[in-house]
Amino acid sequence: MTSADQKPVRVGVFGLLGSGNLGNDGSLEAVLGYLRADHPKAVVDALCGGPETVAARYRIPATRLHWYRGEYRTASRAGAIVGKGLGKLVDVARTAAWVRRHDVVIVPGMGVLEATLPLRPWGFPYSLFLLCASGRLFGTPVALVGVGAAPIGDRPTRALVRWSARLAAYRSYRDALSRDAMRSMGVDTVRDEVYPDLAFALPTPPATGPAESKGPVCVGVMDFHGGNDDRARAEEIHRRYLDGTTRFVRALVEDGRQVRLLTGDQCDASVVDAILDAVDSPLVTASDAASLADLMRETAAADSVVATRYHNLVCALKAGTPTLALSYAAKSDALMDRMGLGAYRHPAREVDADRLLEQFRELERDAAELRRTLAERNLVASRQLARQFDDLTAALFPAAEHTHEHALRETS
């Protein structure tokens, strides 16, 4: 059979995509870029959280992840509880039918194997388990590509995550800590590889930072309430984070600095509004970035970045801008270490504005050296992600790979 005679490969992408999280959508964008470059005849569609957004932005057909539209609202009334429970049963059949229509399913990046933020087992972990179990049942390989993982204390969540990983046909991780976490949960990771986060495969905007010594500072904020194990003191953690971050922004303004507030999810808007109200200065403005590309342009135009969300950090580091992490999880620490900026971290749970300001001044003092370091590390990340996509092609598209190799031999 010739290449022209082969049926197009049917590829499904899956996750909380189009739901307002820019990092998740950036991971999807990176995978779509790979598919369009390396497998242009592939027919792609999505099962996702925000199908309208995904269909409009990426021009692929998209289906709603959950039958019950109130899936992520707290169910307090009897009707809502019944609807949510019925939805869990309906989603078994919906997910299985969707998987069965595909040759390959890809889960693009995201922290799908972690619970570093509040998470219930019957939410996304259950959906991921249905996906991977359906893939195994119908012989459709499910690939968890460049995903994040972390130790999970909650037993039901841990069990669903462990079985999802075991049932997947392919796994790669965005850092070694993620692979170690899955190994500790009993998953055989001998063949699993570690590559940089998928967002490092996105195009890099040109650096447009100002020439003067004191240019704008991007501060990436987050509606941060701690992790899955912090629910009892979530409000205390949030108040401390917001107070410390606000004091830091106010100190920058008192120093005459322009501050650009960045977010990474729709839920972060409340934190931006609180800081704008508290500081009340024309030097502080809010970004309306709607994608990781937008965030990269914002960070590329800044002198330096202080950020909380993981993909705010990725964007700043990818843009080559000196960055200080308000770190809330080991994944942020691992990212900063990988990019050579491990010394520039501050705990998001215990924001000390005075100490943060000291660290920020150290960051700016070392800016020239850090920009050189980031340029070198970004080149390495680019080469590693090229290998990630080659690895993915070999694992999921063997027929296409065989045809390509045959064509090369015919022309040699």
Side-chain angles (χ1 to χ4, degrees):
M1 180 182 292
T2 67
S3 177
D5 294 330
Q6 291 181 345
K7 291 183 179 180
V9 179
R10 298 164 299 176
V11 181
V13 290
F14 175 95
L16 293 178
L17 309 165
S19 301
N21 185 286
L22 302 187
N24 291 358
D25 291 356
S27 298
L28 169 63
E29 187 176 343
V31 165
L32 291 177
Y34 149 71
L35 290 172
R36 286 164 180 163
D38 290 15
H39 306 282
K41 293 184 179 180
V43 177
V44 184
D45 73 300
L47 184 63
C48 59
E52 296 86 0
T53 298
V54 168
R57 181 175 296 168
Y58 303 109
R59 298 180 181 179
I60 60 174
T63 303
R64 185 173 298 280
L65 179 59
H66 302 288
W67 173 80
Y68 181 61
R69 290 177 176 265
E71 173 63 30
Y72 291 105
R73 294 195 295 268
T74 300
S76 55
R77 297 183 178 180
I81 293 172
V82 170
K84 185 171 282 194
L86 177 61
K88 298 301 176 187
L89 296 177
V90 174
D91 285 344
V92 174
R94 291 178 73 252
T95 303
W98 183 80
V99 169
R100 195 174 188 178
R101 294 197 300 268
H102 295 85
D103 300 304
V104 171
V105 172
I106 296 175
V107 181
M110 305 177 287
V112 297
L113 302 177
E114 64 181 51
T116 51
L117 296 176
L119 183 70
R120 299 296 189 188
W122 53 84
F124 188 78
Y126 173 76
S127 300
L128 184 66
F129 171 74
L130 291 184
L131 177 84
C132 295
S134 297
R136 181 62 66 92
L137 178 64
F138 296 116
T140 301
V142 174
L144 309 180
V145 183
V147 299
I152 297 173
D154 180 71
R155 286 187 177 182
T157 303
R158 186 171 64 246
L160 287 169
V161 164
R162 179 173 61 246
W163 276 106
S164 296
R166 284 176 172 174
L167 292 168
Y170 175 92
R171 297 178 298 269
S172 66
Y173 306 97
R174 64 188 179 191
D175 52 53
L177 291 175
S178 295
R179 183 170 61 183
D180 292 344
M182 296 315 299
R183 183 184 298 122
S184 72
M185 290 187 217
V187 177
D188 182 1
T189 62
V190 171
R191 297 183 179 181
D192 299 354
E193 298 290 344
V194 173
Y195 298 101
D197 188 87
L198 289 172
F200 281 99
L202 296 174
T204 306
T208 57
E212 64 267 22
S213 60
K214 287 192 174 183
V217 179
C218 284
V219 178
V221 300
M222 179 178 179
D223 186 25
F224 180 61
H225 292 77
N228 219 37
D229 298 328
D230 298 319
R231 292 178 183 273
R233 59 191 203 97
E235 289 308 312
E236 173 195 344
I237 290 171
H238 181 67
R239 283 195 302 271
R240 182 172 296 177
Y241 169 80
L242 180 58
D243 177 66
T245 306
T246 302
R247 288 181 59 209
F248 173 68
V249 170
R250 186 178 289 117
L252 291 177
V253 169
E254 289 171 354
D255 198 30
R257 303 298 292 270
Q258 297 177 44
V259 178
R260 188 74 162 159
L261 299 177
L262 308 180
T263 62
D265 195 293
Q266 291 174 347
C267 65
D268 300 333
S270 61
V271 178
V272 170
D273 291 342
I275 293 174
L276 289 173
D277 288 344
V279 178
D280 191 21
S281 168
L283 291 175
V284 185
T285 57
S287 166
D288 58 357
S291 68
L292 289 196
D294 292 343
L295 283 176
M296 285 188 200
R297 282 190 287 271
E298 294 271 11
T299 58
D303 263 9
S304 49
V305 176
V306 178
T308 310
R309 279 201 179 272
Y310 180 83
H311 279 99
N312 276 194
L313 295 173
V314 169
C315 287
L317 296 168
K318 168 78 171 169
T321 304
T323 302
L324 197 161
L326 280 174
S327 177
Y328 68 89
K331 63 184 179 183
S332 299
D333 298 338
L335 172 65
M336 297 297 285
D337 285 338
R338 176 190 282 271
M339 299 303 290
L341 275 71
Y344 302 93
R345 297 178 295 190
H346 189 92
R349 283 176 174 77
E350 305 284 345
V351 178
D352 179 333
D354 294 333
R355 174 57 185 149
L356 181 58
L357 192 59
E358 290 177 11
Q359 291 178 287
F360 173 75
R361 287 170 176 158
E362 292 171 7
L363 178 82
E364 293 220 309
R365 184 193 64 212
D366 301 334
E369 179 184 349
L370 295 178
R371 285 183 181 275
R372 288 191 293 270
T373 298
L374 288 173
E376 295 169 358
R377 298 299 175 98
N378 274 309
L379 286 175
V380 173
S382 179
R383 290 194 293 266
Q384 291 173 332
L385 278 170
R387 290 200 295 272
Q388 159 72 100
F389 293 133
D390 288 344
D391 186 23
L392 192 59
T393 289
L396 299 186
F397 301 91
E401 183 77 1
H402 174 76
T403 300
H404 176 66
E405 291 176 356
H406 177 75
L408 288 177
R409 285 197 295 271
E410 288 293 316
T411 56
S412 62

